[in-house]
């Protein structure tokens, strides 16, 4: 699949340029959920919010790459065509979620489905609207991968947050239970004792850009 490829096209080989080199390195894919329509922001798609002179989605992709994730898959929804036109997503696999308005769960399902056949051992899932979480925190979560059964989440003062890493063995169950805005919460709750929490409050801030007052954090 070429950069900015629509859903339904052939998936890229795990030997693509975004995949970390080295036969001993497990392929940890970055999965960026960037489909939100920004309802509480007046209908401005979060992916296109301006951040350091560029669309916010570009920052989120950069963070995943600098943390060592690859390939990077990006799930778009609201104003997907405009995001493709305005944002530089070269080298990413871009998939559309036509049901984005149903909530984060639908985007997570679409994203996990797009990773099938890539050879990824895990998906590190991040959200487009959390610019306070940089490469250091993402890398810390990525490095906690142990096996395709891994279940890892960043924590902030002991509270679970994003990003979250899902070993490939868990994808089917997560996709089956991801509905509405729950995302992977059902799976995480069922397997709470298996979740490895990785404290990141010393190197990241887990705020969301949800309402107009939050926009000051993008300045």
């Amino acid at each position: 699949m070429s950069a900015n490829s629509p859903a339904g096209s052939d998936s890229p080989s795990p030997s693509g340029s975004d995949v970390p080199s080295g036969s001993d390195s497990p392929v940890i894919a970055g999965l960026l959920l960037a489909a939100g329509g920004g309802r509480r922001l007046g209908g401005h798609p979060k992916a296109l919010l301006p951040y350091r002179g560029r669309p916010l989605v570009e920052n989120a992709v950069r963070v995943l790459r600098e943390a060592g994730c690859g390939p990077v898959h990006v799930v778009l929804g609201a104003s997907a065509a405009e995001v493709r036109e305005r944002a530089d997503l070269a080298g990413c696999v871009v998939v559309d979620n036509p049901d984005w308005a149903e909530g984060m769960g639908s985007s997570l399902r679409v994203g996990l489905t797009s990773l099938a056949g890539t050879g990824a051992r895990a998906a590190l899932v991040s959200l487009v609207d959390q610019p306070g979480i940089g490469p250091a925190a993402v890398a810390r979560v990525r490095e906690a991968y142990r096996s395709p059964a891994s279940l890892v989440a960043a924590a902030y003062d002991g509270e679970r947050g994003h990003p979250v890493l899902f070993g490939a063995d868990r994808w089917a169950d997560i996709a089956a239970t991801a509905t509405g805005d729950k995302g992977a919460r059902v799976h995480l709750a069922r397997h709470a004792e298996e979740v490895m929490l990785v404290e990141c409050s010393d190197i990241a801030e887990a705020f969301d850009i949800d309402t107009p007052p939050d926009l000051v954090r993008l300045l």
Side-chain angles (χ1 to χ4, degrees):
M1 185 184 294
S2 61
N4 298 351
S5 305
S9 300
D10 292 338
S11 297
S13 165
S15 61
S17 59
D18 263 344
V19 178
S21 61
S23 58
D24 294 333
S25 299
V27 177
I28 310 297
L31 178 54
L32 176 61
L33 305 185
R39 178 178 54 83
R40 288 183 287 171
L41 289 167
H44 300 290
K46 291 186 176 183
L48 289 176
L49 291 174
Y51 183 62
R52 298 177 178 176
R54 298 297 303 166
L56 186 58
V57 66
E58 292 183 12
N59 174 73
V61 167
R62 175 190 61 81
V63 167
L64 286 170
R65 285 179 170 152
E66 291 186 4
C69 296
V72 174
H73 287 218
V74 181
V75 180
L76 300 181
S79 302
E82 185 179 1
V83 175
R84 288 172 180 272
E85 179 180 349
R86 292 176 51 189
D88 181 3
L89 300 176
C92 296
V93 176
V94 183
V95 293
D96 292 341
N97 174 18
D99 302 317
W100 64 268
E102 294 180 3
M104 187 188 303
S106 63
S107 291
L108 183 56
R109 294 195 306 270
V110 168
L112 291 175
T113 298
S114 75
L115 289 172
T118 63
R121 299 291 185 87
L124 196 151
V125 181
S126 66
L127 308 181
V128 73
D129 66 342
Q130 294 189 316
I133 301 175
V138 176
R140 190 176 284 182
V141 173
R142 180 187 179 278
E143 289 163 5
Y145 170 85
R146 295 294 180 269
S147 77
S150 288
L151 190 58
V152 185
Y156 302 90
D157 296 324
E159 296 294 323
R160 191 184 76 233
H162 284 87
V164 182
L165 182 147
F166 302 124
D169 289 353
R170 298 183 178 273
W171 296 355
D173 185 65
I174 292 170
T177 57
T179 59
D181 277 323
K182 294 179 180 179
R185 276 181 282 179
V186 171
H187 185 87
L188 289 166
R190 288 178 178 173
H191 301 274
E193 295 183 357
E194 302 168 48
V195 180
M196 178 187 296
L197 294 180
V198 178
E199 186 61 46
C200 292
S201 59
D202 59 319
I203 53 175
E205 293 182 274
F207 58 82
D208 301 317
I209 306 298
D210 285 331
T211 63
D214 297 330
L215 294 175
V216 68
R217 293 181 177 271
L218 296 177
L219 299 178

